[in-house]
Amino acid sequence: MKVSIIGMGAVGTEIVGNLINLTDISEIVAVDRDRAKAEAEMWDFAHTTAFTYSKNPLLTVGDYPDTAASDIVVVTAGTQLKAGQTRGDLVSANAVIVRNILAKVQAYSPNAILIMVTNPVDVLAWVAVRHCGWPRERVISAGTVIDSARFLRILSDHVGIDPKNIFGYVLGEHGSTSFIPWSICNVCGLDLDTYCQDNAITPVDREQIHHQVLEAGFEIFRRKGNTNHGIAASVFRIIRAIETNEHSVLPVGALLDGEYETRDVVISVPCVVGRSGIERVLSYTLAAEELAEFRRSEGHLRELAVRAEQALAAAPAVGS
């Protein structure tokens, strides 16, 4: 399997590291405006391959022609968050950047599965389908996979259980309007309140945990200037599900077409992910208050999509 990474910043670079050490990927191609730095990163990674026991992939730094026939293309390039900004503040600039990137990607890898990481990730995945013509099943927003991982870790710290023994998701936008559907969360098969009651654990402050999840990325950003380990691990998890055709259920952003009575918006819901991309959008019956939160998130994403449309209409397309 050939994977191309567009953008070798902190996230793109860490994704490469995960792919080298943990998968049987045959080739990794890096494309970045700063070619010298990208080459240095790949040389550095090449010097680790004598010590790893996964497949020794071909490591390439190049331009879009080198990405030809990629099975997966991961897009991390774009304007990055600055202090005081929200992900939505990036929509106008990054919609144009991503449209131009995808026009080049499409020329060489029209059958690739796209994994969108650039923020605001859900709206840019929507741009990939609506403005670049990719089939919806082959466009995956990294969505709330990272938010869900943060949630499971925060909750595991409260109940004292390995996060892999907790089931739950963060759904909706990867951003301020995300929500936790507590009605489908459980610990070792028990609903959260029952687990805490039966095991003499202080009841969970659900509002506080949601606040911690929302603030986790921004707190990391404030302290070190970026977030890379968690999001790279989340993208790797998606790639692994594709590579091994796992049929794993992940809370990724998908373009909905009637599911949850919603159309023409990319939003994170539980999806079956396998070799062909998003194989199925799963249906969950959400509690009334959870459905209201879903609609709030949907409305916000539609507002951002309008801003993306305006930016794209004002900017010339690549090659024009």
Side-chain angles (χ1 to χ4, degrees):
M1 177 174 282
K2 180 176 180 178
V3 178
S4 292
I5 312 292
I6 313 300
M8 281 288 284
V11 173
T13 299
E14 184 130 350
I15 292 169
V16 172
N18 284 337
L19 292 176
I20 287 174
N21 288 289
L22 298 172
T23 65
D24 288 330
I25 298 298
S26 58
E27 182 176 2
I28 304 170
V29 180
V31 177
D32 193 275
R33 289 183 302 174
D34 188 345
R35 181 164 179 150
K37 179 181 180 296
E39 286 179 338
E41 294 285 10
M42 292 298 247
W43 292 340
D44 205 1
F45 280 128
H47 300 157
T48 72
T49 56
F51 308 120
T52 58
Y53 292 93
S54 55
K55 184 177 289 186
N56 188 359
L58 175 65
L59 303 178
T60 303
V61 177
D63 210 333
Y64 290 94
D66 300 289
T67 68
S70 292
D71 297 287
I72 297 172
V73 175
V74 181
V75 180
T76 74
T79 300
Q80 302 300 308
L81 275 175
K82 296 180 176 62
Q85 286 186 313
T86 67
R87 298 177 184 94
D89 292 332
L90 307 177
V91 66
S92 296
N94 281 345
V96 176
I97 291 170
V98 163
R99 180 181 64 179
N100 292 344
I101 287 172
L102 293 185
K104 299 172 187 176
V105 169
Q106 194 168 39
Y108 296 100
S109 298
N111 297 316
I113 295 170
L114 295 179
I115 301 177
M116 192 61 61
V117 184
T118 306
N119 278 313
V121 64
D122 304 303
V123 179
L124 297 183
W126 176 84
V127 168
V129 179
R130 288 299 178 224
H131 289 272
C132 303
W134 244 280
R136 71 171 187 141
E137 66 273 11
R138 288 198 280 113
V139 176
I140 301 175
S141 160
T144 57
V145 177
I146 178 59
D147 307 88
S148 298
R150 289 168 177 161
F151 165 52
L152 295 177
R153 181 68 213 192
I154 291 166
L155 187 55
S156 79
D157 289 341
H158 180 87
V159 299
I161 290 291
D162 182 345
K164 293 186 289 297
N165 293 122
I166 301 173
F167 179 87
Y169 299 122
V170 176
L171 301 181
E173 174 208 13
H174 172 55
S176 61
T177 65
S178 68
F179 68 100
I180 299 170
W182 293 97
S183 64
I184 60 176
C185 177
N186 70 72
V187 181
C188 302
L190 295 174
D191 71 82
L192 184 58
D193 291 337
T194 300
Y195 182 87
C196 290
Q197 179 180 319
D198 289 355
N199 292 279
I201 296 171
T202 303
V204 169
D205 184 333
R206 300 184 182 194
E207 186 173 319
Q208 176 61 24
I209 284 187
H210 187 213
H211 176 74
Q212 287 179 261
V213 171
L214 289 176
E215 285 298 308
F218 290 110
E219 183 62 24
I220 293 167
F221 178 85
R222 283 190 287 268
R223 293 181 181 223
K224 75 184 192 96
N226 62 56
T227 57
N228 59 321
H229 304 312
I231 184 60
S234 300
V235 174
F236 168 75
R237 180 69 189 90
I238 298 169
I239 293 173
R240 190 61 180 263
I242 296 168
E243 178 206 11
T244 59
N245 198 29
E246 281 184 343
H247 310 294
S248 293
V249 178
L250 299 172
V252 296
L255 184 78
L256 300 189
D257 187 25
E259 301 90 352
Y260 299 90
E261 299 183 0
T262 299
R263 296 182 187 276
D264 199 30
V265 66
V266 171
I267 190 167
S268 286
V269 293
C271 296
V272 179
V273 178
R275 188 62 186 83
S276 59
I278 295 176
E279 300 185 339
R280 188 155 46 107
V281 176
L282 297 183
S283 294
Y284 279 72
T285 300
L286 299 174
E289 63 273 16
E290 295 164 357
L291 187 58
E293 291 295 328
F294 181 96
R295 298 295 175 222
R296 174 171 170 261
S297 196
E298 175 190 350
H300 178 64
L301 288 167
R302 291 191 188 280
E303 292 173 3
L304 292 180
V306 170
R307 289 165 57 185
E309 288 271 19
Q310 293 170 341
L312 291 171
V318 64
S320 64

